[in-house]
Amino acid sequence: MSRVFDIFRFRQKKTPLHSLDPRAKFAILLALSAASLAFSDPFSLSLLLLVEVILLKIAKSLSELISSLRGLTSIMILIFILNYLTLPSGRLYTSIAMSLRFLSLATAFSVFFLTTTPDELSTALEVSGVPREYTMMFTMSLRFVPSLARDLQTVSDALRARGLELERGGLRERLRNYTYLLVPLLVYELRRSLMVAEALEARGFGAVRKVEPFYELRFRAKDYLTLALSCCALLIIALLHLTKVYSVFTSELARIIP
Amino acid sequence: MLKEEAIIVKDVYFSYNGFEVLKGVSLTVRTGEVLALMGENGAGKTTLIKHFNGLLKPQKGRVLVFGKDTREASVAQLARRVGLVFQNPDHQLFAESVEEEILFTLRNMGYPESRVKERCEYVLRLFDLDKYRQRSPYTLSIGERKRLAIAAVVSHDPDVLVLDEPTAGQDYFNKSKLARIINAMKMKGKGIVIVTHDVEFAVQIADRVALMANGRVIKVGSARDVLTDEKGLRAARLLPPQIAWTASLLIQKGFTMSRIPMLPGELYFELARMLDSRGEGGNL
Amino acid sequence: MPLVELKGVHFKYAGSDEYSLKGVSFSASRGECVLLVGPSGCGKSTLLRVLNGLIPHFYEGDLEGEATVAGLDVRSTPIHVLAKHVGMVFQDPENQLFLSSVEREIAFGLENMGLARAEIKRRVEETLRVFGLEELRYKAPYELSGGQQQKVAIASIMAMEPEVLVLDEPTANLDPLSALEILSLVNVLVKDEGLLTIIVEHRLELALKFATRLVVMNDGRLVFDGDPRTGVLFTHRLIGYPPVVITYNLVRRRGLTENFTPLTPEELAEVVAEACSRRKQS
């Protein structure tokens, strides 16, 4: 399961997408996720997915998507089954569409997070007027996800080394086993947050309200171009819906496919 | 005491996230002796010891624990014979009292209920923790927490004890206490593996030393052979023990020694001999 | 004027019954490297935290006595003001590096000081150069080795140009060679920049040779404050002897009259070689 989160973790690479301004990339994310939600037929969603795959290819990050595909597929199957069992009609068609929608949403977010450092993100937020306390909180929560995962692993290893079988027994026994795991983890993370807070204080955090960030965000020609393209895409999606073109298209499709 | 081959590691490979951490490691752990596993961070030491109780299974090669292939046994089964203590006690303690912490392991391991109390008592005394019986583990000092983490793992009397960095961040008192406990367990015929950077601690208590670098065991042998081999130590990013270092400096200055000493007493013996002979019959 | 001055400092953590510091008086000036040692729980870390204002501003409790750092009263000066004068490096690099590149990590403290971007850039460049971190500037701190991480932590603090550097067991998680590199780096800062450093460290065999002064604590009090060569002879009950000092004691008992306690293998070899040649001549 931990592999699923790999598609949202930043990787340092030198690609045109990585060097875009985070705000321009945010516009892409907005357009892609709007499209994922606006379209509800397998064909449009597949087309959208193709666009996203091309973007990931440009970002040299296709392998990350592939490596986490196993985890994603299990969620897709779950979505498919849930839809299939609960829908009154057009079950196959809609169930496939819903699974695809999940995949294209996940991929849209991965295009953004794989290519944007938490620092760029927090700088972008800061420049947009979000207070530094909040942007730092955001940076930190991303920063400590791997540490938390590692602590969890160590705590569970340590308990297993003392003969605890986490997966054994009925539901109640298992729940109790997991509380054994939770106690040291919570205590440890509390200690960690104290250490982190001390280190932040030692670096003078919180002294000045308005700081000048080290990284300068500059909107260049390619960022404007990206922004413009994303806006166009958003506009087209809106038009397709407002003019009912899309609903005519889907109802035609529904007639062909059961 | 007869030494038995407790854990046999045969040409083990292990990769994690596409990164090869162990590249063909072979090593034997025997009962009745202390083996120090040394080397820089990231050399693969922790990955290797997690193979000793089956937390990790070799992707290639084999690990035999008292003749049993770890791939055919559960961690719970292997943990009965191999106790593994991690570096940070805070990752390992969770019970409401010191006593509960010991009882937890005993009950998990299916220790006979009639003897649980007695055994718990014995372990608390061995680790000098009996006066804290009812205290919460979180209120103990760092040294006491470390001892409790070890006590909790050895409470059911496993044959092999594996300690990850037992001396890191420990003061002089706690280090000496740990050395005494480790020696006592060795005398009882236990096999002990310590993963450590602490060369001076290894000098004090190790019988054998294995040096690791880049996922391989680069040297293994008696503590004296390995810890006086300056080149091997540097390859594992370690410094020679102070005494061996002094001796090699003296040898560079033209002094002769019958062998490279490791302990202060041994160096003193060589020095006294040297001072005597150079001092034309003067008696030091 | 001393850079750090404590007079009769007592401190009790809020909610605790016992004082952690029981009347500590201590002063130190530029260019000193103070090694602070003692059993765990003796109050070393508490003392360090008084120096950078974490006590009493972050950890509450009863602080009595006088504590001034760089002429500022610790009690009435906020932590972020003290942070410009006292830098603190902690044991675990993981919990003091937060950002996704080395250069941003170094810039972080400077941003917090409210400096202009041009000045931040200048200091980041200079720090990268001085600490030899230019090649790692775009690397994420978590990709680095423990030794490199601790170096980045020290660099990030030194970029803020403090006069006092306080290190709380900076090498506890490092292999010996990396530990030696970090301590040598600190030594250079003391020598070249006239920094005052106060290091808490359990590994005497590595740290002693860099210390210009040894301070031994026990149970909230200073029990020794002075020359390391004298200190190691009298405080071994608390901190143990490094192996070279044990050997020196053995040899001295047999008549080697040298009033210079060696702290390193180099020095012990020197002392012995000299004694031998003297004996030969006599």
Side-chain angles (χ1 to χ4, degrees), chain B residues 39-41 87 141-143 168-175 197-200 233-234 236-239 241-243 245-246 249-250 253 255 263-265 267-268 271-272 274-276 278-280 282-284, chain C residues 38-40 91 146 169 172-178 180-181 202-203 205-206 209 236-244 246-247 250-251 254-256 263-266 268-270 272-273 275-276 279-280 282:
Chain B
E40 65 177 309
N41 292 333
Q87 180 175 348
S141 76
I142 174 74
Q170 299 288 314
D171 64 11
Y172 169 67
F173 281 130
N174 291 318
K175 268 194 206 179
H197 289 315
D198 193 333
V199 187
E200 304 297 349
L233 289 172
R234 293 212 184 246
R237 285 194 72 75
L238 298 167
L239 290 164
Q242 282 200 325
I243 299 303
W245 195 348
T246 310
L249 287 170
L250 283 168
K253 286 179 194 279
F255 290 81
L263 299 166
L267 177 61
Y268 164 67
L271 293 183
M274 243 154 27
L275 286 165
D276 285 348
R278 298 232 167 178
E280 291 174 345
N283 60 337
L284 252 173
Chain C
S40 4
Q91 176 181 341
E169 298 188 43
N173 298 329
L174 304 184
D175 59 65
L177 275 183
S178 307
L180 196 61
E181 279 161 19
H202 282 305
R203 286 150 101 169
E205 71 276 7
L206 289 179
K209 70 168 164 185
H236 62 96
R237 267 175 224 288
L238 290 173
I239 59 176
Y241 281 129
V244 287
I246 303 180
T247 316
L250 287 169
V251 182
R254 287 197 62 174
L256 180 74
L263 299 177
T264 63
E266 285 83 358
L268 178 60
E270 194 70 31
V272 168
C276 280
R279 195 158 289 236
K280 207 172 181 182
S282 65

Side-chain angles (χ1 to χ4, degrees), chain C residues 40-273:
Chain C
S40 4
C42 70
K44 304 180 298 269
S45 295
T46 307
L47 182 59
L48 294 192
R49 280 159 180 73
V50 171
L51 297 180
N52 77 341
L54 281 173
I55 289 175
H57 302 294
F58 185 79
Y59 294 102
E60 290 175 0
D62 302 341
L63 180 65
E64 294 153 31
E66 279 175 46
T68 43
V69 176
L72 301 166
D73 185 343
V74 168
R75 232 175 311 208
S76 56
T77 315
I79 303 179
H80 62 84
V81 176
L82 282 168
K84 291 176 199 165
H85 302 278
V86 189
M88 182 143 175
V89 174
F90 300 85
Q91 176 181 341
D92 193 350
E94 190 184 356
N95 296 330
Q96 52 186 325
L97 301 175
F98 321 111
L99 301 153
S100 52
S101 72
V102 168
E103 55 171 12
R104 175 82 207 283
E105 198 66 60
I106 293 172
F108 180 67
L110 306 174
E111 292 175 349
N112 291 334
M113 286 165 78
L115 298 179
R117 184 176 290 128
E119 174 64 8
I120 298 179
K121 292 222 149 125
R122 190 189 66 76
R123 287 215 207 167
V124 168
E125 291 308 321
E126 194 187 309
T127 308
L128 286 170
R129 192 170 44 75
V130 170
F131 285 82
L133 291 167
E134 283 134 315
E135 280 171 30
L136 303 177
R137 68 183 299 160
Y138 301 117
K139 286 248 182 199
Y142 56 81
E143 293 172 328
L144 305 178
S145 73
Q148 288 171 329
Q149 286 179 341
Q150 208 55 302
K151 200 167 165 187
V152 172
I154 295 176
S156 310
I157 289 294
M158 289 309 295
M160 297 167 76
E161 301 179 353
E163 299 114 281
V164 186
L165 178 65
V166 173
L167 304 104
D168 195 0
E169 298 188 43
T171 72
N173 298 329
L174 304 184
D175 59 65
L177 275 183
S178 307
L180 196 61
E181 279 161 19
I182 289 297
L183 293 172
S184 313
L185 174 71
V186 171
N187 187 46
V188 169
L189 294 174
V190 172
K191 290 248 162 74
D192 291 2
E193 322 222 341
L195 198 70
L196 163 61
T197 17
I198 301 171
I199 310 184
V200 167
E201 183 62 72
H202 282 305
R203 286 150 101 169
L204 287 185
E205 71 276 7
L206 289 179
L208 261 177
K209 70 168 164 185
F210 298 111
T212 60
R213 187 166 151 195
L214 179 70
V215 173
V216 184
M217 276 187 88
N218 191 29
D219 195 23
R221 293 184 182 89
L222 304 194
V223 294
F224 179 86
D225 182 356
D227 180 15
R229 293 182 202 281
T230 320
V232 286
L233 295 179
F234 296 113
T235 54
H236 62 96
R237 267 175 224 288
L238 290 173
I239 59 176
Y241 281 129
V244 287
V245 181
I246 303 180
T247 316
Y248 172 72
N249 275 342
L250 287 169
V251 182
R252 198 171 53 154
R253 228 178 285 156
R254 287 197 62 174
L256 180 74
T257 48
E258 188 78 48
N259 256 333
F260 178 79
T261 320
L263 299 177
T264 63
E266 285 83 358
E267 287 176 358
L268 178 60
E270 194 70 31
V271 166
V272 168

